[in-house]
């Protein structure tokens, strides 16, 4: 059973594993056009090197032993028998971690390999390297771990509020005083405005309201379900360091967590982005990075890890499940008077980004509505459930389901159209959100609502060519009635999302741009560490260089750590921040070219810089026309500049009042969903899911639509089918057989209208676009199902039994 | 054990195959053909779709031994061996080309499986002299292929475009 080298050598095998990932060539067009993505042809041909495709002669397979218990003490680990399996090269436990034993994005609380205790089912306990995946599996089965099983701490509310509940981390974790931590609470963030800031309580305000609505809402644990599994290849280097080819969202933050655990200086952990098969937040935390490096350093051989789908459910954080209690009061005209919110987010066993998720859920908890008196309490809590962290929408998704459900309830109570109620309370430019931050960019919410409402409606069932065609019915060909009890409903949703990192985070990106003449043509090379995860950033970087330098030949260098940090591909921030960095570096290069133009005497030394431009591969003067071909000006030299770009600073939220200008930018999407519901089978078919989104500037219109449609589909999944079902700390459905994501049959046609009201503070006026649609699509769909069925539907995802009323 | 079959028209063999290995594993890890993807290895996502004797299968669900002596065609062989390619010099088939042009490729992990499955749909319809498939037919054909990035709109658009392109090519009287 020894491993046979590949019968046909991979073209890129050897030292250059993975160099084809991220390799790109020419961007056809500049900003605002839709050139094809430079990696598109490779991906369609099956030639793009994803992290799971990495292969090297002599490589070993890494595999992870995971805890079978959600909560248990580890009494002993015996690896002797596993090590004796022929073909096994190393079996490592916490004792073999060379440096720091813990890592973490915000709080260093997560063991590289468990010691003392396991805190969730699936926690890594040991890793092996072997010559074949099957050898590794057999070895894992021979690692003996002696556990003393403890009671799981599975209920987030109990973990937060019951003083008798045991602590998940009884030995303590690094403290953050500003987070109001106590017991199992990772962060408690209150927000108090209006009368609540003066100490009033809800009863005072309730008395003044004409209509009051209350609701308890739940949002299930959602999985990012990227298709490319966690994977990577660690290659030991002669200098005692390691080269890691990895799919991640942020190379440098990985590096800063990996190096201390390996006991290496940061420079000796060199990272290159391997092809990333989707991310959606799930690659913000480490998975197998440190494990692969440890095994590679120990064995002196390259080590490859590829999680399978089941393991992937344990290998990354999920969207926080939320339990929410909301109360809203309004006057008789539907003007909101007050809101009280309690949001409890189950963070699971380790902190990950829970504190930041609480920051978003609290600051945006009341959504895009002007409300004079607000009281919010958002909590993130440790439990012994699977850890939760970043997923597209990041705390705003959960809150949005709550506040939009409340808006519909209130509209119904007042006999108003749900769009009208929202319009009356809509935030706009100049309004303040609940943290006191003034919105200093366009926010045309009322216009967006009108537009989405005016979009054409899909054909009614009776108007279909063949209304009996089961393909048009909920359940489709597989699972239908004849449609006797199919009812249609329409619902609306609006979501407000912060874009870029918030709360005083030093959020920057670095870009290096080089301009030179190659074969008589000017060519630009853009180098950043920004992770292309599918969103199309690699296209955008080329477009920016094309526009700023007036050159057609633009190559985007593979992302790696030989250039400064680009920050994370999350929070919809890369177009803004890395886009801003590429633009700034291009501008610096351009200035140096203009200096050359002056030096060469093509213009007078005091020639106004504003008169010069780079266009179509030429240096152009507004006054005098073409001065010279750019290639000629460059000659044999290259002009290279590196720039760091930061967005304007943000502030921390006050730990008591939740006040502070915590966000950089706000994004908004508005959805209208049309559904057909089989009320007897409890099945839903989404017939249309239309949206209006303001993006400030459509940098690449076609990719932009892909982001909005993809985000909307993920919201559809959360509305109707996606939930990681956890019972007593155990995931019940870790497979694509039981965890359902929308297929092409579940996803309706999506009409999208894009508005471009520029944000004056942002490069090109753009606004991050990836997250907002994920907020609003879920409540719009659930509202449509409520409209069809008349049922309250207070949890997402909606289950068939909630619709059919089984168990009522 | 030794397993021999043809891949994209070429004779290939893998030595020392463990009987539990799937066709997908052998293609990816032993034959240097990682184009077929491994998103679930449970037969649920379609990212590993290949032709086995002309029929599309999930390569993760086929034991390598079952492929012995048979003909496998993978995404790597799509442009060369099937469909009405766009231009003779293109490395891509019309379906692949349409995916790139329509913006149906984001992370691209689903793409290899989808283009093979879509190729099969066109082989059964336009290339067999039939009409171009409608949206409902396209959806049914691709129902076993998950994509997490695109929301499928651009994928449907790409398949429509490729179908129209191939239909025109067939009407002009010559595939390729
Ligand atoms: S990998 Fe074969 S169906 Fe998913
Ligand atoms: S493009 Fe990423 S899964 Fe389809």
């Amino acid at each position: 059973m020894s491993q046979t080298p590949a019968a046909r050598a991979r073209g890129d095998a050897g030292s250059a594993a993975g160099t084809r990932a991220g390799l790109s060539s020419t961007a056809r067009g500049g900003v605002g056009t839709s050139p094809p993505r430079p990696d598109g042809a490779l991906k369609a041909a099956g030639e793009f090197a994803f992290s799971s495709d990495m292969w090297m002669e002599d490589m070993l397979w890494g595999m992870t032993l995971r805890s079978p218990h959600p909560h248990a003490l580890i009494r002993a680990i015996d690896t002797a028998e596993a090590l004796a399996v022929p073909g096994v090269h190393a079996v490592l436990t916490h004792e073999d971690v060379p440096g720091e034993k813990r890592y973490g994005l915000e709080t260093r609380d997560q063991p590289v390999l468990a010691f003392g205790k396991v805190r969730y089912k699936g926690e890594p306990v040991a890793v092996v390297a072997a010559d074949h995946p099957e050898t590794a599996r057999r070895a894992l089965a021979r690692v003996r771990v002696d556990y003393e099983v403890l009671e799981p701490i599975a209920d987030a509310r109990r973990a937060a509020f019951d003083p008798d509940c045991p602590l998940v981390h009884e030995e303590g974790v690094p403290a953050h005083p500003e987070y109001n931590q106590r017991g199992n609470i990772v962060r408690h963030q209150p927000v108090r405005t209006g009368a609540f800031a003066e100490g009033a309580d809800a009863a005072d305000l309730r008395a003044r309201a004409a209509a009051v609505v209350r609701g308890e809402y739940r949002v299930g644990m959602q999985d990012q379900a990227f298709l490319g599994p966690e994977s990577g290849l660690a290659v030991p280097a002669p200098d005692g360091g390691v080269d890691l080819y990895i799919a991640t969202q942020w190379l440098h933050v990985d590096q800063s967590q990996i190096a201390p655990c390996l006991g290496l200086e940061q420079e000796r952990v060199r990272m290159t982005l391997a092809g990333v098969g989707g991310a959606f937040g799930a690659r913000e935390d480490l998975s197998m990075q440190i494990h692969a490096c440890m095994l590679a350093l120990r064995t002196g051989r390259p080590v490859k890890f590829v999680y399978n789908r089941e393991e992937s459910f344990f290998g990354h954080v999920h969207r926080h499940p939320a339990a929410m209690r909301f109360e809203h009061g309004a006057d008789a005209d539907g003007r909101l008077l007050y809101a009280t919110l309690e949001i409890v987010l189950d963070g699971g066993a380790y902190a990950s980004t829970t504190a930041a998720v609480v920051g978003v859920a609290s600051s945006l908890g009341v959504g895009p509505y002007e409300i004079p008196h607000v009281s919010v309490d958002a909590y993130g809590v440790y439990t012994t459930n699977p850890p939760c962290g970043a997923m597209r929408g990041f705390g705003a998704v959960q809150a949005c389901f709550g506040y939009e459900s409340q808006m519909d309830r209130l509209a119904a109570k007042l006999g108003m159209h749900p769009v009208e109620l929202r319009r009356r309370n809509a935030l706009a430019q100049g309004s303040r959100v609940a943290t006191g931050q003034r919105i200093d960019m366009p926010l045309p919410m009322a216009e967006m609502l009108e537009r989405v409402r005016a979009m054409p409606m899909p054909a009614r069932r009776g108007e279909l060519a063949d209304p009996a065609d089961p393909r048009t019915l909920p359940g489709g060909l597989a699972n239908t009635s004849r449609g006797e009890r199919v009812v249609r409903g329409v619902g609306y949703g609006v979501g407000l999302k912060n874009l870029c990192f918030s709360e005083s985070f030093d959020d920057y990106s670095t870009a290096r741009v080089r301009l030179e003449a190659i074969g008589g043509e000017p060519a630009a090379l853009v180098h950043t560490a920004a992770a292309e995860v599918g969103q199309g950033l690699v296209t955008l970087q080329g477009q920016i260089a094309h526009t700023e330098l007036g050159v057609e030949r633009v190559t985007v260098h593979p992302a790696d750590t030989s250039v400064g940090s680009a920050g994370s591909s999350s929070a919809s921030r890369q177009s803004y921040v890395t886009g801003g960095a590429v633009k700034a570096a291009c501008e610096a290069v351009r200035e140096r070219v203009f200096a050359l133009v002056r030096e060469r005497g093509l213009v007078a030394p005091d020639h106004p810089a504003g008169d010069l431009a780079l266009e179509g591969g030429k240096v152009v003067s507004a006054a005098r026309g073409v001065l010279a071909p750019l290639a000629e000006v460059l000659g044999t030299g290259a002009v290279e500049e590196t720039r760091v770009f930061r967005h304007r600073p943000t502030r921390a939220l006050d730990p008591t009042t939740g006040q502070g200008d915590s966000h950089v930018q706000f994004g908004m999407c508005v959805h209208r969903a049309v559904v057909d519901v089989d009320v007897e089978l409890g099945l839903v078919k989404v017939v249309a899911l239309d949206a209006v989104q303001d993006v400030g500037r459509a940098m690449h219109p076609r990719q932009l639509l892909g982001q909005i449609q993809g985000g909307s589909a993920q919201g559809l999944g959360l509305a109707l089918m996606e939930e990681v079902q956890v019972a007593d700390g155990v995931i019940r459905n870790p497979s694509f057989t039981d965890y359902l994501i929308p297929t092409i049959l579940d996803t309706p046609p999506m009409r999208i209208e894009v508005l471009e009201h520029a944000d004056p503070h942002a490069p090109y006026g753009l606004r991050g676009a990836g997250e907002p649609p994920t907020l609003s699509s879920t409540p719009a769909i659930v509202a449509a199902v409520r409209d069809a069925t008349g049922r309250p539907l207070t949890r997402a995802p909606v289950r068939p039994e909630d619709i059919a009323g089984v168990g009522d | 054990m030794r397993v021999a079959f043809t891949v994209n028209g070429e004779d290939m063999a893998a030595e020392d195959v463990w009987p539990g290995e799937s066709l997908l594993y052998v293609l990816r890890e032993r034959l240097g053909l990682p184009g077929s993807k491994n998103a679930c290895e449970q037969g649920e996502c379609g990212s590993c779709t290949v032709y086995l004797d002309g029929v599309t299968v999930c390569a993760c669900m086929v034991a390598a031994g079952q492929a012995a002596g048979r003909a496998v065609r993978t995404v790597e062989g799509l442009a060369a061996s099937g469909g009405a390619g766009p231009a003779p010099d293109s490395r891509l088939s019309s379906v692949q080309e349409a995916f790139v042009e329509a913006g149906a490729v984001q992370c691209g992990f689903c793409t290899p499986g989808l283009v093979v499955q879509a190729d099969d749909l066109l082989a059964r319809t336009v290339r067999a002299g039939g009409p171009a498939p409608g949206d409902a037919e396209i959806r049914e054909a691709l129902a076993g292929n998950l994509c997490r990035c695109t929301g499928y709109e651009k994928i449907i658009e790409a398949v429509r475009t490729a179908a129209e392109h191939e239909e025109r090519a067939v009407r002009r009287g010559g595939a390729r």
Side-chain angles (χ1 to χ4, degrees), chain A residues 465-789:
Chain A
D466 177 8
D469 182 345
R471 292 180 298 188
T472 69
L473 287 167
L477 285 168
N479 203 12
T480 57
S481 62
R482 297 269 166 76
E484 296 87 344
R485 297 294 313 282
V486 172
V487 193
R488 178 156 292 188
V490 179
Y492 295 85
V494 187
L496 185 68
K497 180 69 182 60
N498 62 308
L499 308 165
C500 302
F501 279 20
S502 296
E503 296 193 78
S504 77
F505 193 90
D506 182 20
D507 193 17
Y508 67 93
S509 179
T510 314
R512 184 179 297 154
V513 173
R514 179 185 175 91
L515 184 62
E516 63 193 318
I518 298 175
E521 290 295 322
L525 178 69
V526 180
H527 188 182
T528 73
E532 168 61 55
V533 296
Q535 79 279 47
L537 185 62
V538 68
T539 327
L540 205 71
Q541 294 183 56
Q543 287 177 272
I544 291 172
H546 182 124
T547 291
E548 298 302 329
L549 299 175
V551 298
E552 297 221 337
R553 266 179 77 178
V554 182
T555 304
V556 178
H557 190 282
D560 60 27
T561 50
S562 72
V563 62
S565 174
S568 182
S569 290
S570 59
S572 310
R573 64 179 281 291
Q574 286 293 23
S575 301
Y576 192 130
V577 189
T578 290
V582 173
K583 181 169 186 278
C586 288
E587 284 162 355
V589 165
R590 205 166 56 198
E591 285 315 309
R592 285 204 25 215
V593 172
F594 294 158
L596 285 176
V597 169
R598 288 190 205 95
E599 261 169 47
R600 309 251 154 101
L602 292 165
V603 293
D606 59 349
H607 191 88
D611 175 69
L612 297 175
L614 299 181
E615 278 165 24
K618 306 207 163 43
V619 183
V620 181
S621 149
R624 291 167 41 199
V626 173
L627 298 177
L630 178 54
E632 205 176 289
V633 174
L634 291 166
T636 55
V639 178
E640 182 177 291
E641 287 293 336
T642 302
R643 285 293 177 276
V644 172
F645 176 84
R646 286 183 163 77
H647 56 66
R648 54 194 174 141
T650 58
R651 289 186 202 296
L653 291 172
D654 183 281
T656 317
T657 63
Q659 298 301 290
D661 292 353
S662 63
H663 298 312
V664 182
Q665 194 183 46
F666 297 95
M668 176 174 281
C669 184
V670 174
H671 270 95
R672 184 190 66 192
V674 181
V675 302
D676 282 342
V677 184
D678 189 316
V679 294
E680 285 182 340
L681 297 178
L683 297 175
V684 179
K685 181 178 182 65
V686 182
V687 179
L689 186 57
D690 300 323
V692 179
Q693 185 168 341
D694 194 322
V695 301
R697 174 82 190 272
M699 301 289 284
H700 187 300
R702 196 178 51 225
Q703 285 188 176
L704 173 68
L705 290 183
Q707 283 298 302
I708 300 175
Q709 290 163 342
S712 301
Q714 290 183 0
L716 183 157
L718 181 59
L720 297 176
M721 59 189 84
E722 290 186 34
E723 182 171 10
V724 178
Q725 293 174 22
V726 181
D728 284 331
V730 178
I731 297 181
R732 290 276 172 84
N733 56 341
S735 72
F736 280 166
T737 313
D738 297 317
Y739 183 90
L740 302 181
I741 65 172
T743 69
I744 200 167
L745 292 175
D746 301 310
T747 312
M750 293 180 265
R751 190 189 297 263
I752 312 290
E753 261 183 49
V754 170
L755 306 184
E756 296 182 84
H757 294 98
D759 175 352
H761 310 283
Y764 304 105
L766 72 81
R767 252 183 248 247
E771 287 174 291
T774 314
L775 272 61
S776 44
S777 114
T778 306
I781 291 166
V782 177
V785 180
R786 280 190 205 112
D787 182 47
T789 62

Side-chain angles (χ1 to χ4, degrees), chain B residues 37-48 58 60:
Chain B
K37 292 291 167 258
N38 55 336
C40 77
E41 297 179 86
Q42 296 171 318
E44 295 287 352
C45 76
S47 73
C48 60
C58 291
C60 70

Side-chain angles (χ1 to χ4, degrees), chain A residues 217 401 405 782 785-786 789 791-795 798 802-803:
Chain A
Y217 303 97
F401 178 66
S405 298
V782 177
V785 180
R786 280 190 205 112
T789 62
R791 296 204 167 266
L793 305 181
T794 55
R795 81 190 293 289
V798 174
D802 301 331
I803 295 170

Side-chain angles (χ1 to χ4, degrees), chain A residues 227, chain B residues 104-111 114 146-150 155:
Chain A
L227 286 203
Chain B
V105 180
Q106 286 189 26
C107 84
F109 210 80
C110 65
T111 311
L114 272 160
L146 297 176
C147 172
R148 188 54 157 172
C149 298
T150 64
I155 291 173

Side-chain angles (χ1 to χ4, degrees), chain A residues 182 228 248 257 289 321 331 406 416-417 445 447 501 520 662 730 783 800:
Chain A
R182 62 177 189 277
T248 179
Q257 294 174 90
Q289 282 90 328
D331 69 14
Q406 285 284 90
M416 286 175 78
H417 192 281
M445 172 164 161
E447 178 193 348
F501 279 20
S662 63
V730 178

Side-chain angles (χ1 to χ4, degrees), chain B residues 58-98:
Chain B
C58 291
C60 70
M61 300 302 282
V62 176
Q66 280 176 279
R70 300 169 76 180
V72 176
R73 184 144 60 92
T74 70
V75 63
E76 287 97 339
L78 211 57
S81 55
D89 57 343
S90 173
R91 294 165 39 250
L92 299 181
S93 73
S94 58
V95 173
Q96 290 168 318
E97 188 88 36

